[in-house]
Amino acid sequence: MDEKTQAIINTLLTTNDPAGLDSFDLATRFEALGKYMVQLGCAFPDSPTKHNMHGHTFFSFNCLGWSPTHYALASKLLGRLFLTKGYDVKVSEVHGMSQRGGSVVTYVKFGDKVNSPIIDKGEADYIISFELLEAARYVEFLKPGGQIVTNSQQIDPMPVIAGTAEYPSGLIGKMEEAGAKVDAIDALTIAEQAGSSKATNIVLMGVFSKYIKEISKEEWIKAVEASVPSKFLELNMKAFEMGLAAE
């Protein structure tokens, strides 16, 4: 076993503090654990990055403080859509402190073969964000030149509400300076025009669909139809079309 692998395994086995692993990226940690499991006589999947070199990786990130149904529907729609195209799809949601004003992260990966749903820093092709500051906070997960689709709505985090901090200014410019392409749109207002603020997620799906050329509009519509209750279908279809047409 090489020194790097041994260092990772020693950290895993001898401490409850994960800080010692910060110098190793996710793929390296995964590979080291795999080598250790092999030594123990156990089977273990390959590094997650090896199975996505020829596919796409999505990093979907929601706003903070919203109902989990908003981003759950978005990830469900994406997962359903790529499954119908014959891809291997993995979806993972990290809810954390969402019910107390915290943020929620949803990862969606697809490709010929995907073993792990987790996306490490610098690996995401896209970020879909329901709130502007949350997009900026996670820009480091985006690949160089990757695309951000974000709602331009600003929701004050707790430090701003408490008066101990100010909401950052110039976030779009800062994300672009970091190497991201940014499509920021007032999805909340569009959703309200469509009939309900709760359709913000579908508006963002309409905007995002413009960047996925290999999937037709008809396929997106079928995925929306299969993902929302029939009594809300008309509203969501209108929201999707308005998002698609937004500039």
Side-chain angles (χ1 to χ4, degrees):
M1 188 179 298
D2 59 80
E3 292 183 4
K4 181 187 294 185
T5 299
Q6 190 64 59
I8 294 173
I9 297 303
N10 287 344
T11 303
L12 287 170
L13 295 178
T14 61
T15 180
N16 291 323
D17 180 10
L21 297 175
D22 287 347
S23 58
F24 303 104
D25 61 31
L26 179 63
T28 302
R29 286 179 250 167
F30 197 96
E31 184 177 2
L33 187 56
K35 291 178 180 179
Y36 182 65
M37 296 295 283
V38 169
Q39 283 198 349
L40 296 178
C42 304
F44 204 71
D46 292 334
S47 168
T49 57
K50 294 180 181 178
H51 297 291
N52 297 284
M53 296 301 289
H54 303 293
H56 291 75
T57 301
F58 287 84
F59 177 87
S60 178
F61 186 76
N62 82 300
C63 74
L64 57 91
W66 281 35
S67 166
T69 55
H70 288 106
Y71 41 82
L73 175 59
S75 59
K76 176 183 176 181
L77 191 155
L78 288 172
R80 185 189 301 275
L81 185 62
F82 297 125
L83 278 173
T84 61
K85 296 293 287 185
Y87 292 109
D88 184 19
V89 181
K90 295 290 186 295
V91 178
S92 175
E93 296 176 1
V94 181
H95 287 232
M97 295 293 288
S98 59
Q99 294 184 344
R100 296 182 180 274
S103 58
V104 176
V105 181
T106 300
Y107 304 94
V108 180
K109 269 184 165 181
F110 79 92
D112 294 332
K113 179 64 177 176
V114 180
N115 278 341
S116 170
I118 303 302
I119 296 173
D120 207 359
K121 294 177 181 179
E123 291 186 350
D125 293 303
Y126 301 93
I127 291 176
I128 304 171
S129 176
F130 287 35
E131 200 272 342
L132 193 60
L133 179 56
E134 295 302 305
R137 287 180 59 209
Y138 279 77
V139 70
E140 62 184 342
F141 282 82
L142 199 66
K143 290 179 178 177
Q147 179 70 53
I148 293 175
V149 174
T150 181
N151 185 10
S152 60
Q153 182 185 11
Q154 299 181 6
I155 301 176
D156 289 342
M158 289 306 299
V160 176
I161 295 173
T164 60
E166 295 183 359
Y167 194 98
S169 61
L171 290 176
I172 294 176
K174 291 175 182 177
M175 288 187 282
E176 291 174 337
E177 289 174 2
K181 293 180 286 187
V182 183
D183 188 352
I185 192 162
D186 188 354
L188 175 61
T189 296
I190 294 173
E192 291 172 339
Q193 292 171 350
S196 173
S197 61
K198 294 181 179 179
T200 301
N201 48 4
I202 301 299
V203 172
L204 288 171
M205 291 295 98
V207 176
F208 179 61
S209 70
K210 294 182 285 188
Y211 295 96
I212 311 299
K213 304 300 184 183
E214 59 264 52
I215 298 178
S216 67
K217 177 182 175 181
E218 290 72 23
E219 289 172 314
W220 279 96
I221 290 174
K222 288 180 180 179
V224 174
E225 292 173 342
S227 301
V228 303
S230 57
K231 63 181 179 180
F232 300 124
L233 181 57
E234 183 178 356
L235 165 65
N236 282 279
M237 288 309 308
K238 184 177 181 181
F240 179 84
E241 292 282 1
M242 293 178 72
L244 182 62
E247 296 182 356

CSV table of all heavy atoms in Angstrom, one decimal, residues 19-68:
chain,number,residue,atom,x,y,z
A,19,ALA,N,-11.1,16.3,9.6
A,19,ALA,CA,-10.3,17.4,9.0
A,19,ALA,C,-9.0,17.0,8.4
A,19,ALA,O,-8.5,17.6,7.5
A,19,ALA,CB,-10.0,18.4,10.2
A,20,GLY,N,-8.5,15.8,8.9
A,20,GLY,CA,-7.3,15.3,8.4
A,20,GLY,C,-7.4,14.8,6.9
A,20,GLY,O,-6.4,14.6,6.3
A,21,LEU,N,-8.6,14.7,6.4
A,21,LEU,CA,-8.8,14.2,5.1
A,21,LEU,C,-9.0,15.3,4.1
A,21,LEU,O,-9.0,15.1,2.9
A,21,LEU,CB,-10.1,13.3,5.0
A,21,LEU,CG,-10.1,12.0,5.9
A,21,LEU,CD1,-11.4,11.4,5.8
A,21,LEU,CD2,-9.0,11.1,5.4
A,22,ASP,N,-9.0,16.6,4.5
A,22,ASP,CA,-9.3,17.7,3.7
A,22,ASP,C,-8.3,17.9,2.5
A,22,ASP,O,-8.6,18.4,1.5
A,22,ASP,CB,-9.4,19.0,4.5
A,22,ASP,CG,-10.7,19.0,5.3
A,22,ASP,OD1,-11.6,18.2,5.0
A,22,ASP,OD2,-10.8,19.9,6.2
A,23,SER,N,-7.1,17.4,2.7
A,23,SER,CA,-6.0,17.6,1.7
A,23,SER,C,-6.2,16.5,0.6
A,23,SER,O,-5.4,16.6,-0.4
A,23,SER,CB,-4.6,17.4,2.3
A,23,SER,OG,-4.5,16.2,3.0
A,24,PHE,N,-7.1,15.6,0.7
A,24,PHE,CA,-7.3,14.6,-0.3
A,24,PHE,C,-8.7,14.8,-0.9
A,24,PHE,O,-9.7,14.9,-0.2
A,24,PHE,CB,-7.2,13.2,0.3
A,24,PHE,CG,-5.9,12.9,1.0
A,24,PHE,CD1,-5.8,12.9,2.4
A,24,PHE,CD2,-4.7,12.6,0.3
A,24,PHE,CE1,-4.6,12.6,3.0
A,24,PHE,CE2,-3.5,12.4,0.9
A,24,PHE,CZ,-3.5,12.4,2.3
A,25,ASP,N,-8.8,14.8,-2.3
A,25,ASP,CA,-10.1,14.9,-2.9
A,25,ASP,C,-10.9,13.6,-2.8
A,25,ASP,O,-10.4,12.6,-2.3
A,25,ASP,CB,-10.0,15.3,-4.4
A,25,ASP,CG,-9.2,14.3,-5.2
A,25,ASP,OD1,-9.3,13.1,-4.9
A,25,ASP,OD2,-8.6,14.7,-6.2
A,26,LEU,N,-12.2,13.7,-3.1
A,26,LEU,CA,-13.1,12.6,-2.9
A,26,LEU,C,-12.6,11.3,-3.7
A,26,LEU,O,-12.7,10.2,-3.1
A,26,LEU,CB,-14.5,13.0,-3.3
A,26,LEU,CG,-15.6,11.9,-3.2
A,26,LEU,CD1,-15.8,11.5,-1.7
A,26,LEU,CD2,-16.9,12.4,-3.8
A,27,ALA,N,-12.2,11.5,-4.9
A,27,ALA,CA,-11.8,10.4,-5.7
A,27,ALA,C,-10.6,9.6,-5.1
A,27,ALA,O,-10.6,8.4,-5.1
A,27,ALA,CB,-11.5,10.8,-7.1
A,28,THR,N,-9.6,10.4,-4.5
A,28,THR,CA,-8.5,9.8,-3.9
A,28,THR,C,-8.9,9.0,-2.7
A,28,THR,O,-8.4,7.9,-2.4
A,28,THR,CB,-7.4,10.9,-3.6
A,28,THR,OG1,-7.1,11.6,-4.7
A,28,THR,CG2,-6.2,10.3,-2.9
A,29,ARG,N,-9.7,9.6,-1.9
A,29,ARG,CA,-10.2,8.9,-0.7
A,29,ARG,C,-10.9,7.7,-1.0
A,29,ARG,O,-10.8,6.6,-0.4
A,29,ARG,CB,-11.2,9.9,0.1
A,29,ARG,CG,-10.4,11.0,0.9
A,29,ARG,CD,-11.4,11.8,1.6
A,29,ARG,NE,-11.5,13.2,1.0
A,29,ARG,CZ,-12.5,14.0,1.3
A,29,ARG,NH1,-13.5,13.7,2.1
A,29,ARG,NH2,-12.5,15.2,0.7
A,30,PHE,N,-11.8,7.7,-2.0
A,30,PHE,CA,-12.6,6.6,-2.4
A,30,PHE,C,-11.6,5.5,-2.9
A,30,PHE,O,-11.8,4.3,-2.6
A,30,PHE,CB,-13.5,7.0,-3.6
A,30,PHE,CG,-14.6,6.1,-3.9
A,30,PHE,CD1,-15.9,6.3,-3.3
A,30,PHE,CD2,-14.5,5.0,-4.7
A,30,PHE,CE1,-16.9,5.4,-3.5
A,30,PHE,CE2,-15.5,4.1,-4.9
A,30,PHE,CZ,-16.8,4.3,-4.4
A,31,GLU,N,-10.6,5.8,-3.7
A,31,GLU,CA,-9.7,4.8,-4.2
A,31,GLU,C,-8.9,4.2,-3.1
A,31,GLU,O,-8.7,3.0,-3.1
A,31,GLU,CB,-8.7,5.5,-5.2
A,31,GLU,CG,-7.7,4.6,-5.9
A,31,GLU,CD,-6.9,5.2,-6.9
A,31,GLU,OE1,-7.0,6.5,-7.1
A,31,GLU,OE2,-6.1,4.6,-7.5
A,32,ALA,N,-8.5,5.0,-2.1
A,32,ALA,CA,-7.7,4.5,-1.0
A,32,ALA,C,-8.6,3.5,-0.2
A,32,ALA,O,-8.1,2.4,0.2
A,32,ALA,CB,-7.2,5.6,-0.1
A,33,LEU,N,-9.8,3.8,0.1
A,33,LEU,CA,-10.7,2.9,0.8
A,33,LEU,C,-10.9,1.6,0.0
A,33,LEU,O,-11.0,0.6,0.6
A,33,LEU,CB,-12.0,3.6,1.1
A,33,LEU,CG,-13.0,2.9,2.0
A,33,LEU,CD1,-12.4,2.6,3.3
A,33,LEU,CD2,-14.3,3.7,2.2
A,34,GLY,N,-11.0,1.8,-1.3
A,34,GLY,CA,-11.2,0.6,-2.1
A,34,GLY,C,-10.0,-0.4,-2.0
A,34,GLY,O,-10.1,-1.6,-1.9
A,35,LYS,N,-8.8,0.2,-2.0
A,35,LYS,CA,-7.6,-0.6,-1.8
A,35,LYS,C,-7.6,-1.4,-0.5
A,35,LYS,O,-7.2,-2.5,-0.4
A,35,LYS,CB,-6.3,0.2,-2.0
A,35,LYS,CG,-6.1,0.8,-3.4
A,35,LYS,CD,-4.8,1.7,-3.4
A,35,LYS,CE,-4.6,2.2,-4.8
A,35,LYS,NZ,-3.4,3.1,-4.9
A,36,TYR,N,-8.0,-0.6,0.5
A,36,TYR,CA,-8.0,-1.2,1.9
A,36,TYR,C,-9.0,-2.3,1.9
A,36,TYR,O,-8.8,-3.4,2.5
A,36,TYR,CB,-8.3,-0.1,2.9
A,36,TYR,CG,-8.4,-0.6,4.3
A,36,TYR,CD1,-7.2,-1.0,4.9
A,36,TYR,CD2,-9.6,-0.6,5.0
A,36,TYR,CE1,-7.2,-1.5,6.3
A,36,TYR,CE2,-9.6,-1.0,6.4
A,36,TYR,CZ,-8.4,-1.5,7.0
A,36,TYR,OH,-8.5,-1.9,8.3
A,37,MET,N,-10.2,-2.1,1.3
A,37,MET,CA,-11.2,-3.2,1.3
A,37,MET,C,-10.8,-4.4,0.6
A,37,MET,O,-11.1,-5.5,0.9
A,37,MET,CB,-12.5,-2.6,0.7
A,37,MET,CG,-13.1,-1.5,1.5
A,37,MET,SD,-13.8,-2.0,3.1
A,37,MET,CE,-15.3,-2.8,2.6
A,38,VAL,N,-10.0,-4.2,-0.5
A,38,VAL,CA,-9.5,-5.3,-1.3
A,38,VAL,C,-8.5,-6.1,-0.4
A,38,VAL,O,-8.5,-7.4,-0.4
A,38,VAL,CB,-8.8,-4.8,-2.6
A,38,VAL,CG1,-8.0,-6.0,-3.2
A,38,VAL,CG2,-9.8,-4.3,-3.6
A,39,GLN,N,-7.7,-5.4,0.4
A,39,GLN,CA,-6.8,-6.1,1.3
A,39,GLN,C,-7.5,-6.9,2.3
A,39,GLN,O,-7.0,-8.0,2.8
A,39,GLN,CB,-5.9,-5.1,2.0
A,39,GLN,CG,-4.7,-4.5,1.1
A,39,GLN,CD,-3.7,-3.9,2.0
A,39,GLN,OE1,-3.8,-3.7,3.2
A,39,GLN,NE2,-2.5,-3.6,1.4
A,40,LEU,N,-8.7,-6.5,2.7
A,40,LEU,CA,-9.5,-7.2,3.6
A,40,LEU,C,-10.3,-8.3,3.0
A,40,LEU,O,-11.0,-9.1,3.6
A,40,LEU,CB,-10.5,-6.3,4.3
A,40,LEU,CG,-9.9,-5.2,5.2
A,40,LEU,CD1,-11.0,-4.3,5.8
A,40,LEU,CD2,-9.0,-5.8,6.3
A,41,GLY,N,-10.2,-8.4,1.6
A,41,GLY,CA,-10.9,-9.5,0.9
A,41,GLY,C,-12.3,-9.1,0.5
A,41,GLY,O,-13.1,-10.0,0.3
A,42,CYS,N,-12.6,-7.8,0.5
A,42,CYS,CA,-14.0,-7.4,0.2
A,42,CYS,C,-14.0,-6.7,-1.2
A,42,CYS,O,-13.0,-6.1,-1.6
A,42,CYS,CB,-14.5,-6.3,1.2
A,42,CYS,SG,-14.4,-6.9,2.9
A,43,ALA,N,-15.1,-6.8,-1.9
A,43,ALA,CA,-15.3,-6.2,-3.2
A,43,ALA,C,-15.7,-4.7,-2.9
A,43,ALA,O,-16.4,-4.4,-2.0
A,43,ALA,CB,-16.3,-6.9,-4.0
A,44,PHE,N,-15.2,-3.8,-3.8
A,44,PHE,CA,-15.6,-2.4,-3.6
A,44,PHE,C,-15.6,-1.7,-4.9
A,44,PHE,O,-14.7,-2.0,-5.8
A,44,PHE,CB,-14.5,-1.7,-2.7
A,44,PHE,CG,-15.1,-0.5,-2.0
A,44,PHE,CD1,-16.0,-0.6,-0.9
A,44,PHE,CD2,-14.6,0.8,-2.3
A,44,PHE,CE1,-16.5,0.5,-0.3
A,44,PHE,CE2,-15.1,1.9,-1.7
A,44,PHE,CZ,-16.0,1.7,-0.6
A,45,PRO,N,-16.5,-0.8,-5.2
A,45,PRO,CA,-16.6,-0.2,-6.6
A,45,PRO,C,-15.3,0.7,-6.8
A,45,PRO,O,-14.6,1.1,-5.9
A,45,PRO,CB,-17.8,0.7,-6.5
A,45,PRO,CG,-18.5,0.3,-5.2
A,45,PRO,CD,-17.6,-0.4,-4.3
A,46,ASP,N,-15.1,0.9,-8.1
A,46,ASP,CA,-14.0,1.8,-8.5
A,46,ASP,C,-14.3,3.2,-8.1
A,46,ASP,O,-15.4,3.6,-7.7
A,46,ASP,CB,-13.8,1.7,-10.0
A,46,ASP,CG,-13.3,0.4,-10.5
A,46,ASP,OD1,-12.7,-0.3,-9.6
A,46,ASP,OD2,-13.6,0.0,-11.6
A,47,SER,N,-13.3,4.1,-8.3
A,47,SER,CA,-13.4,5.5,-8.1
A,47,SER,C,-14.6,6.1,-8.9
A,47,SER,O,-14.7,5.8,-10.0
A,47,SER,CB,-12.1,6.3,-8.5
A,47,SER,OG,-12.4,7.6,-8.5
A,48,PRO,N,-15.5,6.9,-8.3
A,48,PRO,CA,-16.6,7.4,-9.0
A,48,PRO,C,-16.3,8.2,-10.2
A,48,PRO,O,-17.1,8.2,-11.1
A,48,PRO,CB,-17.4,8.3,-7.9
A,48,PRO,CG,-16.3,8.6,-6.9
A,48,PRO,CD,-15.4,7.4,-6.9
A,49,THR,N,-15.2,8.9,-10.2
A,49,THR,CA,-14.9,9.7,-11.4
A,49,THR,C,-14.6,8.9,-12.6
A,49,THR,O,-14.8,9.3,-13.7
A,49,THR,CB,-13.7,10.6,-11.1
A,49,THR,OG1,-12.6,9.8,-10.7
A,49,THR,CG2,-14.0,11.5,-10.0
A,50,LYS,N,-14.2,7.6,-12.5
A,50,LYS,CA,-13.8,6.8,-13.6
A,50,LYS,C,-15.0,6.4,-14.5
A,50,LYS,O,-14.9,6.1,-15.7
A,50,LYS,CB,-13.1,5.5,-13.2
A,50,LYS,CG,-11.8,5.7,-12.5
A,50,LYS,CD,-11.2,4.4,-12.0
A,50,LYS,CE,-9.8,4.6,-11.3
A,50,LYS,NZ,-9.3,3.4,-10.9
A,51,HIS,N,-16.2,6.5,-13.9
A,51,HIS,CA,-17.4,6.1,-14.7
A,51,HIS,C,-18.2,7.3,-15.3
A,51,HIS,O,-19.2,7.1,-15.8
A,51,HIS,CB,-18.3,5.3,-13.7
A,51,HIS,CG,-17.7,4.0,-13.3
A,51,HIS,ND1,-17.4,3.0,-14.1
A,51,HIS,CD2,-17.2,3.7,-12.0
A,51,HIS,CE1,-16.8,2.0,-13.4
A,51,HIS,NE2,-16.7,2.4,-12.1
A,52,ASN,N,-17.6,8.5,-15.2
A,52,ASN,CA,-18.3,9.6,-15.7
A,52,ASN,C,-17.5,10.4,-16.7
A,52,ASN,O,-17.8,11.6,-17.0
A,52,ASN,CB,-18.7,10.5,-14.5
A,52,ASN,CG,-19.7,9.8,-13.6
A,52,ASN,OD1,-20.9,9.7,-13.9
A,52,ASN,ND2,-19.2,9.3,-12.5
A,53,MET,N,-16.4,9.9,-17.2
A,53,MET,CA,-15.5,10.6,-18.1
A,53,MET,C,-16.2,11.0,-19.4
A,53,MET,O,-15.9,12.0,-20.0
A,53,MET,CB,-14.3,9.8,-18.3
A,53,MET,CG,-13.4,9.6,-17.1
A,53,MET,SD,-12.9,11.1,-16.3
A,53,MET,CE,-11.7,11.7,-17.5
A,54,HIS,N,-17.1,10.1,-19.8
A,54,HIS,CA,-17.8,10.3,-21.1
A,54,HIS,C,-19.2,10.7,-21.0
A,54,HIS,O,-20.0,10.8,-21.9
A,54,HIS,CB,-17.6,9.0,-22.0
A,54,HIS,CG,-16.2,8.6,-22.2
A,54,HIS,ND1,-15.3,9.4,-22.9
A,54,HIS,CD2,-15.5,7.6,-21.7
A,54,HIS,CE1,-14.1,8.8,-22.9
A,54,HIS,NE2,-14.2,7.7,-22.2
A,55,GLY,N,-19.7,10.9,-19.7
A,55,GLY,CA,-21.1,11.3,-19.5
A,55,GLY,C,-21.1,12.7,-19.1
A,55,GLY,O,-20.3,13.5,-19.3
A,56,HIS,N,-22.2,13.0,-18.4
A,56,HIS,CA,-22.4,14.4,-17.8
A,56,HIS,C,-22.6,14.2,-16.3
A,56,HIS,O,-23.0,13.2,-15.8
A,56,HIS,CB,-23.6,15.1,-18.4
A,56,HIS,CG,-23.5,15.4,-19.9
A,56,HIS,ND1,-23.6,14.5,-20.9
A,56,HIS,CD2,-23.3,16.6,-20.5
A,56,HIS,CE1,-23.4,15.1,-22.0
A,56,HIS,NE2,-23.3,16.4,-21.8
A,57,THR,N,-22.2,15.3,-15.6
A,57,THR,CA,-22.4,15.3,-14.2
A,57,THR,C,-23.3,16.6,-13.9
A,57,THR,O,-23.0,17.6,-14.4
A,57,THR,CB,-21.1,15.4,-13.4
A,57,THR,OG1,-20.3,14.3,-13.8
A,57,THR,CG2,-21.3,15.5,-11.9
A,58,PHE,N,-24.3,16.4,-13.1
A,58,PHE,CA,-25.1,17.5,-12.7
A,58,PHE,C,-25.0,17.7,-11.2
A,58,PHE,O,-25.0,16.8,-10.4
A,58,PHE,CB,-26.6,17.3,-13.0
A,58,PHE,CG,-26.9,17.3,-14.5
A,58,PHE,CD1,-26.7,16.3,-15.3
A,58,PHE,CD2,-27.3,18.5,-15.0
A,58,PHE,CE1,-26.9,16.3,-16.6
A,58,PHE,CE2,-27.6,18.6,-16.3
A,58,PHE,CZ,-27.4,17.5,-17.2
A,59,PHE,N,-24.9,19.0,-10.8
A,59,PHE,CA,-24.9,19.4,-9.4
A,59,PHE,C,-26.1,20.3,-9.3
A,59,PHE,O,-26.1,21.4,-9.8
A,59,PHE,CB,-23.6,20.1,-9.0
A,59,PHE,CG,-23.6,20.5,-7.6
A,59,PHE,CD1,-23.2,19.7,-6.6
A,59,PHE,CD2,-24.0,21.8,-7.3
A,59,PHE,CE1,-23.1,20.2,-5.3
A,59,PHE,CE2,-24.0,22.3,-6.0
A,59,PHE,CZ,-23.5,21.5,-5.0
A,60,SER,N,-27.1,19.8,-8.6
A,60,SER,CA,-28.3,20.6,-8.5
A,60,SER,C,-28.4,21.2,-7.1
A,60,SER,O,-28.4,20.4,-6.1
A,60,SER,CB,-29.6,19.8,-8.8
A,60,SER,OG,-30.8,20.5,-8.6
A,61,PHE,N,-28.6,22.5,-6.9
A,61,PHE,CA,-28.5,23.1,-5.6
A,61,PHE,C,-29.7,24.0,-5.4
A,61,PHE,O,-30.0,24.8,-6.2
A,61,PHE,CB,-27.2,23.9,-5.4
A,61,PHE,CG,-27.1,24.4,-4.1
A,61,PHE,CD1,-26.7,23.6,-3.0
A,61,PHE,CD2,-27.3,25.7,-3.8
A,61,PHE,CE1,-26.5,24.1,-1.8
A,61,PHE,CE2,-27.2,26.2,-2.5
A,61,PHE,CZ,-26.8,25.4,-1.5
A,62,ASN,N,-30.4,23.9,-4.3
A,62,ASN,CA,-31.6,24.6,-4.1
A,62,ASN,C,-31.3,25.9,-3.2
A,62,ASN,O,-30.3,26.1,-2.7
A,62,ASN,CB,-32.7,23.8,-3.4
A,62,ASN,CG,-32.4,23.7,-1.9
A,62,ASN,OD1,-31.4,23.3,-1.4
A,62,ASN,ND2,-33.4,24.2,-1.1
A,63,CYS,N,-32.4,26.7,-3.1
A,63,CYS,CA,-32.3,27.8,-2.2
A,63,CYS,C,-32.4,27.4,-0.8
A,63,CYS,O,-32.8,26.3,-0.5
A,63,CYS,CB,-33.4,28.8,-2.5
A,63,CYS,SG,-35.0,28.3,-2.0
A,64,LEU,N,-32.1,28.3,0.2
A,64,LEU,CA,-32.3,27.9,1.6
A,64,LEU,C,-33.7,28.4,2.1
A,64,LEU,O,-34.2,29.3,1.6
A,64,LEU,CB,-31.2,28.6,2.4
A,64,LEU,CG,-31.0,30.1,2.4
A,64,LEU,CD1,-31.9,30.7,3.5
A,64,LEU,CD2,-29.6,30.4,2.6
A,65,GLY,N,-34.2,27.6,3.0
A,65,GLY,CA,-35.4,28.0,3.6
A,65,GLY,C,-36.7,27.6,2.9
A,65,GLY,O,-37.8,28.1,3.3
A,66,TRP,N,-36.7,26.9,1.8
A,66,TRP,CA,-37.9,26.5,1.1
A,66,TRP,C,-38.3,25.1,1.4
A,66,TRP,O,-37.6,24.3,1.9
A,66,TRP,CB,-37.6,26.6,-0.4
A,66,TRP,CG,-37.6,28.0,-1.0
A,66,TRP,CD1,-37.2,29.2,-0.3
A,66,TRP,CD2,-38.1,28.4,-2.2
A,66,TRP,NE1,-37.4,30.2,-1.2
A,66,TRP,CE2,-37.9,29.8,-2.3
A,66,TRP,CE3,-38.7,27.8,-3.3
A,66,TRP,CZ2,-38.2,30.6,-3.5
A,66,TRP,CZ3,-39.0,28.5,-4.5
A,66,TRP,CH2,-38.8,29.9,-4.5
A,67,SER,N,-39.6,24.8,1.1
A,67,SER,CA,-40.1,23.5,1.3
A,67,SER,C,-39.3,22.5,0.5
A,67,SER,O,-39.0,22.7,-0.7
A,67,SER,CB,-41.6,23.4,0.9
A,67,SER,OG,-42.0,22.1,0.8
A,68,PRO,N,-39.0,21.3,1.1
A,68,PRO,CA,-38.2,20.3,0.3
A,68,PRO,C,-38.9,19.8,-0.9
A,68,PRO,O,-38.2,19.3,-1.8
A,68,PRO,CB,-38.1,19.2,1.4
A,68,PRO,CG,-38.2,19.8,2.7
A,68,PRO,CD,-39.2,21.0,2.5
